[in-house]
Amino acid sequence: QLVAYEVKRMKAEEGNKQKILRHIKELAEKLYKNENPYPAVTMHKVQKPTEGCHLRLHQKPFPRLDEGTVQWIIDQATAKLQTAPPAVRAEKKCMVPSGPPIAAILERNGNALANSARRLEVVRNCISYVFENKMLEAKKLFPAVLRAMKGRAARQCLTQELHLHVQQNRAVLDHQQFDFVIRMMNCCLQDCTAMDEHGIAAALLPLVTAFCRKLSPGITQFAYSCVQEHV
């Protein structure tokens, strides 16, 4: 629920300690009530008679109570309580919207890990190894590159590096190079959010029409044929 509803509020509170503390206190109370739903002592409210009720006409006298009957009712109720199963609060199920993607929230909060220089260095090194045909080194770094694609900075870095290689007329790839580049592009597009549509996805458009491989004499496959399913 916090992820879905409270992101704007949390952003607005950044830098204001009093607001943050008040927000934390509210959360603490909610969590406490969730864990302790039943008050320890239940107080029975007895209604007071209305003003002037003693002046009413045709007032019936209060009936005399039979002590034995009252005791029998109390005993019955006590016996029922002892055998009754413990009261369990029925869970209320509700649908909570997913809210903004986690990666986007982390980046907006300036998450140092997602945008670390180390991750960007890994992306650059892996792309260099692919284009230098050092496939063993590229394979070692590849899982880290795919993980790094969760961060927008790494996705931007990928588009910039690939653009440099296109400018150097290195767009025609062999089969292994083509496979690596396509997997990186697919992972990059898969992790894109709506905010990346006019940035990273747009930057990839000219690249997917440039990178290609020769399947046979006169037949060329371009990268867009492998990544065009993405929204």
Side-chain angles (χ1 to χ4, degrees):
Q1 281 175 333
L2 276 176
V3 169
Y5 300 124
E6 302 286 320
V7 176
K8 282 182 184 172
R9 180 178 170 182
M10 284 156 92
K11 271 192 78 182
E13 287 174 358
E14 277 176 13
N16 189 327
K17 284 188 180 177
Q18 286 181 325
K19 282 187 179 177
I20 292 170
L21 283 171
R22 193 168 70 233
H23 194 180
I24 290 169
K25 198 175 178 185
E26 284 172 20
L27 280 175
E29 281 173 11
K30 279 185 194 173
L31 290 168
Y32 182 79
K33 282 177 185 171
N34 188 58
E35 295 296 318
N36 305 280
Y38 304 109
V41 179
T42 308
M43 300 296 289
H44 294 286
K45 288 184 180 177
V46 180
Q47 287 184 327
K48 287 183 178 179
T50 55
E51 284 181 30
C53 67
H54 60 285
L55 301 172
R56 263 183 273 170
L57 299 172
H58 313 298
Q59 206 167 7
K60 290 182 180 177
F62 194 80
R64 185 174 175 78
L65 298 177
D66 178 46
E67 195 180 335
T69 309
V70 171
Q71 192 56 52
W72 179 80
I73 292 169
I74 291 170
D75 292 343
Q76 288 280 91
T78 308
K80 266 188 188 174
L81 280 173
Q82 283 171 350
T83 56
V88 177
R89 186 174 57 165
E91 275 189 37
K92 285 184 182 176
K93 291 189 171 73
C94 65
M95 289 294 290
V96 177
S98 58
I102 295 294
I105 295 168
L106 291 177
E107 282 162 17
R108 264 179 298 189
N109 290 351
N111 188 299
L113 191 68
N115 296 335
S116 68
R118 172 81 188 108
R119 289 193 173 197
L120 302 188
E121 194 59 36
V122 167
V123 173
R124 289 193 191 98
N125 287 345
C126 185
I127 293 169
S128 296
Y129 290 146
V130 168
F131 283 93
E132 289 163 15
N133 259 321
K134 297 178 179 174
M135 291 305 169
L136 199 63
E137 282 88 344
K139 274 181 185 173
K140 286 176 191 171
L141 293 182
F142 204 64
V145 170
L146 298 187
R147 282 197 302 274
M149 288 299 136
K150 298 280 179 201
R152 190 184 290 124
R155 297 197 288 271
Q156 283 173 334
C157 178
L158 175 75
T159 59
Q160 288 161 1
E161 289 296 307
L162 291 178
H163 184 69
L164 289 173
H165 287 288
V166 169
Q167 286 180 323
Q168 294 166 12
N169 293 325
R170 296 169 79 180
V172 181
L173 311 172
D174 66 28
H175 294 303
Q176 213 171 0
Q177 288 173 322
F178 187 81
D179 182 51
F180 269 99
V181 170
I182 290 299
R183 283 170 71 188
M184 282 191 276
M185 284 179 168
N186 269 322
C187 188
C188 176
L189 287 167
Q190 182 182 317
D191 288 317
C192 276
T193 65
M195 291 180 284
D196 297 324
E197 189 176 338
H198 303 293
I200 290 154
L204 276 176
L205 273 177
L207 300 175
V208 297
T209 56
F211 285 109
C212 60
R213 65 174 167 178
K214 301 281 184 192
L215 293 178
S216 62
I219 297 176
T220 304
Q221 181 187 17
F222 284 89
Y224 68 79
S225 63
C226 301
V227 300
Q228 61 194 5
E229 298 301 316
H230 292 278
V231 179

